[in-house]
Amino acid sequence: MKIILDNRLVKNKLFPFTKTRHAADIRVGILTIRERILYNNKHEVFDSNEEYSEKYPDKKEQPLQLPANIIADENCIRDIKKTLEITNQKAFCIVENPTLKLLKYPWDITRHNDWALRQDFALITKGRNTEIIPDSNKTINSKDIFIEEAAKVEHCILNATDGPIYIGKNAIIMEGCLLRGPIAICEGAVVKMGTRIYGATTIGPFCTVGGEIKNSVLFAYSNKAHDGYLGDSVLGEWCNLGAGTSNSNLKNTAGEVKYWSDAEQKQIGVGNKGGLLMGDYSKAAINTSFNTGSIVGVCCNVFAAGLTPTYIPDFSWGADGTTKYKLDNALADIDNWKKLKGRSISEREKKNLTDIYNQ
């Protein structure tokens, strides 16, 4: 089946994560939205009608058009296609369906991560056997623990009572770690000694984490490598939190947490829990204290005395939004960080970030 994941109506509402990626490349659960639809190569996915038309100019087959913020499994896609065929509807008619899991706002990533982790765990492990769990570990409900090849896990406590634990290929879980599912530690990620992770949490590919983490998602290549608390939060790619950095996810009053919506130009209430949402390439100095309901844009260098503001715009130097990160310095610093993980900044990244800087 050919599927178009249309980004147009959702892009602005998922700031800061869609400043640097298509909405379909947001990670929620073990996989990204795109990876979930492509799993087992059952579908061919396009980002736009234009991309589809370039490959299939005759358009003999009508593609299924979905909003790019849909968290869709195989059953969901089948049911949508059947409904569209019966009702002869197209495009975004399914957006208002209350049974669908949609990322309407960036904080929905953590809201839906528990559900998505369970769905992805069942999808990825179906018909497969886990690698042997070393005897040095203490496991609870081991039938819901799955370890991929070449992962290293020794002298840890893995508790899958409340949800599954997935440990990806070549991941390293150092001694003394405490993991309570549902959790995904994705390919090549490193969990440092004595780390405590509560569900529902996703540690994305090649991330490094330490300290205490709860109900959070790290996309890929990001670091929260030291002591400090990260809760009800989302970090994009190539982010770094300095030693001792923590975020608040609950007000002292236990009242409603509100986030600033760039798209709607207003504060939106999300309930009594809400942590840090940090865009790609942003980083924070040691002992940074992020306020409840904080949004940090793309490519920020955050440092501040006391609690940070709840909104820090793209390319901020500091936290008050008055000083801008110099573009050449920012690009050079990104390259330095990427080299620490054997990568380098690409020309495409430079162009995209330059465009964002000049907006």
Side-chain angles (χ1 to χ4, degrees), residues 189-203:
V190 176
V191 183
K192 296 177 73 176
M193 289 191 300
T195 301
R196 292 92 65 206
I197 304 179
Y198 302 82
T201 291
T202 298
I203 308 301

Side-chain angles (χ1 to χ4, degrees), residues 66-285:
L66 301 176
N69 62 335
I70 185 171
I71 312 172
D73 60 14
E74 191 60 35
N75 292 333
C76 175
I77 292 172
R78 185 188 64 242
D79 292 345
I80 291 170
K81 186 173 186 294
K82 184 177 181 180
T83 300
L84 295 180
E85 289 171 349
I86 292 172
T87 61
N88 197 31
Q89 292 177 305
K90 298 178 181 179
F92 291 94
C93 60
I94 53 100
V95 170
E96 300 303 323
N97 187 329
T99 65
L100 296 175
K101 298 290 189 297
L102 296 167
L103 301 181
K104 295 183 179 181
Y105 297 101
W107 46 87
D108 288 333
I109 296 170
T110 55
R111 285 183 170 180
H112 294 318
N113 201 48
D114 186 298
W115 179 86
L117 278 168
R118 298 172 193 272
Q119 297 296 315
D120 289 350
F121 183 88
L123 175 67
I124 291 171
T125 64
K126 184 177 180 180
R128 302 175 61 212
N129 294 321
T130 179
E131 294 291 305
I132 295 173
I133 303 172
D135 291 338
S136 66
N137 298 289
K138 169 66 176 177
T139 63
I140 305 171
N141 196 33
S142 59
K143 67 179 178 63
D144 285 337
I145 300 171
F146 193 94
I147 300 177
E148 298 281 8
E149 65 174 319
K152 297 178 181 178
V153 190
E154 295 282 0
H155 300 285
C156 298
I157 297 178
L158 310 176
N159 184 351
T161 300
D162 295 329
I165 296 175
Y166 173 83
I167 299 174
K169 182 180 178 180
N170 293 317
I172 298 174
I173 318 296
M174 295 183 183
E175 55 271 25
C177 291
L178 310 176
L179 275 59
R180 175 183 285 266
I183 287 173
I185 311 296
C186 297
E187 179 182 358
V190 176
V191 183
K192 296 177 73 176
M193 289 191 300
T195 301
R196 292 92 65 206
I197 304 179
Y198 302 82
T201 291
T202 298
I203 308 301
F206 306 102
C207 291
T208 300
V209 297
E212 183 179 5
I213 303 172
K214 189 215 79 167
N215 193 42
S216 294
V217 177
L218 284 69
F219 283 4
Y221 295 100
S222 287
N223 300 327
K224 183 244 174 272
H226 306 287
D227 283 341
Y229 177 71
L230 187 70
D232 298 282
S233 296
V234 183
L235 304 185
E237 294 188 2
W238 298 105
C239 296
N240 188 76
L241 302 184
T245 295
S246 291
N247 79 280
S248 169
N249 62 340
L250 179 68
K251 289 186 172 183
N252 281 356
T253 62
E256 185 176 44
V257 177
K258 294 183 179 181
Y259 285 101
W260 173 255
S261 170
D262 235 25
E264 300 184 19
Q265 290 292 294
K266 66 179 182 180
Q267 299 278 352
I268 298 179
V270 298
N272 65 359
K273 289 287 184 75
L276 168 66
L277 306 176
M278 177 177 275
D280 291 353
Y281 310 108
S282 287
K283 45 196 173 289

